[in-house]
Amino acid sequence: IKIKKNLFKPKFLLVQGRALPQIDESLQSFPSNWMDEFSLIEQLGFNGIEWIYDKKSEYSNPILNSNEYSKIQSLSKKYNVSLENIVFDWFITHPLLKKDDISLSTKIQKIIDLLDYSEKIGFQRVIFPLLEGNSIHDSNEMGLFLKIFSDDILPTLNLKKLEIHFETSMSPNDEFNFISKLDNPQTKICFDMGNSASLGFDCTEVLNKIHPFLGSVHVKDRLKNGGTVPLGEGSVDFLTVFSILNKIKFSGPISFQAHRDKNSNNIELLQSYLMFINNIIGKAV
């Protein structure tokens, strides 16, 4: 009798700050007590971390300070928490294409500098959010964005051992066209199952369309046209998502970006989320 082996063993990451108490209204932000989280991530059994660079930590984030690199790297080594993803959430506050008090050339240089820091510290991929204020709304904006990236960012990226994964709110067809036009092996898509369900997209259609370019996944649950809710309480069809990920032999990282609030016991909550997803994977393979 052949025993079906479970070969789908994804690499689970925790989005930075999710194991620590939420201190303000913001669900996701860089935590000032970032050093405290590495031991918790290890204790929970995650493989790595998805770091955050945002407006709040614009000047204080340790990725900007070469004296802090060894601290980040030694915590990573000590607790066996690999430095995997880094999210450039700063661009949600200062969108690349929007005219604000920061010039386009400064924003482009910022991406290049952040790529340098990220690689030096040892991160493997950048999550670049094309969401909220930084969304792409039409073909003109897409054309402009692709031109800026191709001319000004990709020459730097090509010299690095880094990938950029775009998390977008585009339709599956637009997302496919966007990433196809970039036509670079170091640019991929980050699929956020919660955001996708919230926008009313069908997960089978999305994953079947973008899977050649799929680089990373965010675990989250949201209501259709609504906010983030605990896993299993929203519109995400988890079983279908993980069945497809298993079928396409997805081997990229899966980051937990799931719901919590100021009153959450985050350790218990994350333990229950891990159990929930492992249970789904058990059924999906």
Side-chain angles (χ1 to χ4, degrees), residues 123-183:
F123 290 104
Q124 295 176 47
R125 56 196 78 75
V126 166
I127 309 291
F128 195 89
L130 291 173
L131 302 167
E132 297 169 38
N134 201 34
S135 297
I136 287 175
H137 300 100
D138 55 41
S139 55
N140 288 344
E141 285 189 0
M142 191 192 284
L144 182 55
F145 188 92
L146 288 167
K147 182 167 170 39
I148 292 167
F149 245 78
S150 300
D151 294 353
D152 301 315
I153 313 292
L154 291 185
T156 298
L157 184 68
N158 291 336
L159 303 172
K160 302 202 171 301
K161 293 189 178 79
L162 268 180
E163 293 177 351
I164 293 183
H165 295 191
F166 294 94
E167 184 184 349
T168 91
S169 47
M170 299 179 205
S171 71
N173 283 334
D174 287 346
E175 196 166 66
F176 179 84
N177 292 338
F178 168 78
I179 202 69
S180 305
K181 282 177 181 156
L182 272 175
D183 191 24

Side-chain angles (χ1 to χ4, degrees), residues 11-251:
K11 187 186 277 182
F12 285 154
L13 314 184
L14 186 62
V15 172
Q16 190 177 35
R18 297 290 166 133
L20 300 167
Q22 185 178 325
I23 40 178
D24 52 26
E25 294 312 313
S26 147
L27 191 62
Q28 177 163 306
S29 62
F30 175 80
S32 55
N33 54 336
W34 62 273
M35 286 180 284
D36 300 344
E37 195 164 29
F38 280 82
S39 62
L40 300 173
I41 293 173
E42 182 194 39
Q43 178 193 321
L44 284 159
F46 286 93
N47 306 104
I49 193 168
E50 181 163 306
W51 198 273
I52 291 169
Y53 176 75
D54 57 7
K55 179 65 179 175
K56 189 177 136 191
S57 64
E58 182 171 26
Y59 304 111
S60 60
N61 200 299
I63 66 157
L64 308 175
N65 180 349
S66 55
N67 300 323
E68 299 273 306
Y69 291 3
S70 58
K71 201 183 286 179
I72 298 170
Q73 288 158 346
S74 67
L75 283 166
S76 161
K77 208 168 177 180
K78 179 179 177 184
Y79 294 108
N80 201 25
V81 172
S82 65
L83 304 171
E84 295 279 341
N85 300 356
I86 176 164
V87 192
F88 290 179
D89 271 350
W90 185 88
F91 291 92
I92 288 179
T93 311
H94 292 292
L96 193 65
L97 301 182
K98 220 176 216 169
K99 288 186 168 62
D100 57 18
D101 54 347
I102 297 170
S103 70
L104 177 59
S105 59
T106 304
K107 290 173 187 173
I108 291 168
Q109 189 56 49
K110 190 163 190 84
I111 295 175
I112 290 167
D113 291 344
L114 287 169
L115 289 175
D116 280 338
Y117 304 144
S118 300
E119 187 188 42
K120 282 186 181 126
I121 294 164
F123 290 104
Q124 295 176 47
R125 56 196 78 75
V126 166
I127 309 291
F128 195 89
L130 291 173
L131 302 167
E132 297 169 38
N134 201 34
S135 297
I136 287 175
H137 300 100
D138 55 41
S139 55
N140 288 344
E141 285 189 0
M142 191 192 284
L144 182 55
F145 188 92
L146 288 167
K147 182 167 170 39
I148 292 167
F149 245 78
S150 300
D151 294 353
D152 301 315
I153 313 292
L154 291 185
T156 298
L157 184 68
N158 291 336
L159 303 172
K160 302 202 171 301
K161 293 189 178 79
L162 268 180
E163 293 177 351
I164 293 183
H165 295 191
F166 294 94
E167 184 184 349
T168 91
S169 47
M170 299 179 205
S171 71
N173 283 334
D174 287 346
E175 196 166 66
F176 179 84
N177 292 338
F178 168 78
I179 202 69
S180 305
K181 282 177 181 156
L182 272 175
D183 191 24
N184 185 297
Q186 286 166 268
T187 58
K188 296 195 162 96
I189 292 293
C190 172
F191 170 66
D192 186 306
M193 56 187 78
N195 293 352
S196 188
S198 167
L199 291 163
F201 298 134
D202 176 84
C203 60
T204 306
E205 187 194 340
V206 175
L207 289 168
N208 285 343
K209 188 80 187 171
I210 64 160
H211 84 79
F213 303 102
L214 182 63
S216 51
V217 168
H218 278 165
V219 168
K220 185 195 291 168
D221 204 355
R222 284 181 67 175
L223 297 164
K224 190 173 176 184
N225 304 318
T228 307
V229 292
L231 299 188
E233 294 180 19
S235 302
V236 172
D237 181 351
F238 287 96
L239 191 54
T240 300
V241 168
F242 281 94
S243 298
I244 295 171
L245 293 178
N246 176 52
K247 194 174 91 189
I248 65 175
K249 298 184 169 59
F250 176 71
S251 59

